[in-house]
Amino acid sequence: MTEGERKERICKKAKDLGANLVRSCSIKKWRELPIQEPEFWPENIWPWSKNVIVLAIPLFAPMVQTTPSMVYQELYDTSNRILDGISYQLANYIVSELGFRAIFFPRDCYYNVEVLVNNPSAAFSHVLSGYYAGIGTIGDSHNLISKEFGPRMRVVSVITDAPISEDEMISENLCIHCGQCLKKCPIQCFSENGNDVYHMDKVACTKHHVEIKNQHHWPCGVCIGVCPVGEDMKAYRGEMPVTQEGILHCQSYGS
């Protein structure tokens, strides 16, 4: 079986399991285009790893834009459960059917949001794996932005030693630098710094999440809700995905 044929089988399995987007990259990308420190590179965590398969599913704009609400929290939680299930089954398929090593890295993988206040970093970044694999590019808001869904998606990664062909990275930055995420952030955690990506006060962002979690509706998600990029928004051109009254209604119940 060639690397391309193996990749086709893995992609078909992932899509049959429910993934909308499936891309892959070599772990060499972390070394070739270093963004994080070496301790975060797959090769320094899983020495047998060779490739990373990245899976994404959408978050629906009319639900995201009600944030902060239980409507968005349920969407977020549901997408997390689905992604963990898909990635577990895909890793199991690679191990049991194809005969290679594989694991999945859970999409969030932290005990609760409070622990992130003192250390607001994940052990593995799905944003970077999605960037290296060609799912999308990194926007001003530090979110991964795809052509299909803008930043309104959830992403998970499967790490494997299976020899597979990798996808090309997206060369054109998909972020249009409209400034909506900067302007609409409820705590103004973004600021201009002269680069393509805004400076982000991660601690302030995390503390805001602690606050709204204590109000029983989280995460925030305003920065992904206001982003105009994504083919998913074409269905709503010329009309609002949800009315302002509808947003207030969803925020008034269930939390």
Side-chain angles (χ1 to χ4, degrees), residues 95-222:
V95 171
S96 61
E97 298 295 328
L98 300 183
F100 295 97
R101 289 174 284 194
I103 62 167
F104 79 100
F105 196 87
R107 9 87 255 134
D108 282 338
C109 204
Y110 54 81
Y111 176 67
N112 59 36
V113 70
E114 285 86 353
V115 304
L116 296 180
V117 173
N118 294 325
N119 186 15
S121 296
F124 183 81
S125 172
H126 299 299
V127 169
L128 285 188
S129 63
Y131 171 59
Y132 291 142
I135 290 279
T137 61
I138 301 173
D140 285 342
S141 64
H142 294 233
N143 288 301
L144 184 67
I145 298 178
S146 72
K147 290 182 285 190
E148 294 84 357
F149 309 120
R152 289 167 296 279
M153 60 183 175
R154 296 291 289 152
V155 182
V156 74
S157 305
V158 173
I159 295 93
T160 182
D161 65 351
I164 56 175
S165 57
E166 64 176 335
D167 293 287
E168 292 185 6
M169 296 176 62
I170 297 176
S171 57
E172 179 184 358
N173 191 347
L174 299 178
C175 179
I176 61 174
H177 310 297
C178 65
Q180 286 299 303
C181 55
L182 182 148
K183 297 171 187 174
K184 299 296 177 60
C185 175
I187 57 162
Q188 300 296 295
C189 77
F190 300 116
S191 58
E192 296 272 10
N193 62 358
N195 297 321
D196 287 340
V197 177
Y198 294 141
H199 170 74
M200 179 181 182
D201 187 336
K202 293 182 180 180
V203 173
C205 179
T206 304
K207 287 182 176 179
H208 175 63
H209 278 84
V210 172
E211 180 180 345
I212 60 176
K213 182 184 178 184
N214 290 336
Q215 297 169 5
H216 311 295
H217 50 209
W218 79 289
C220 176
V222 168

Side-chain angles (χ1 to χ4, degrees), residues 79-90:
S79 66
N80 284 350
R81 290 194 301 271
I82 289 171
L83 276 180
D84 278 350
I86 293 172
S87 56
Y88 173 88
Q89 291 186 74
L90 184 63

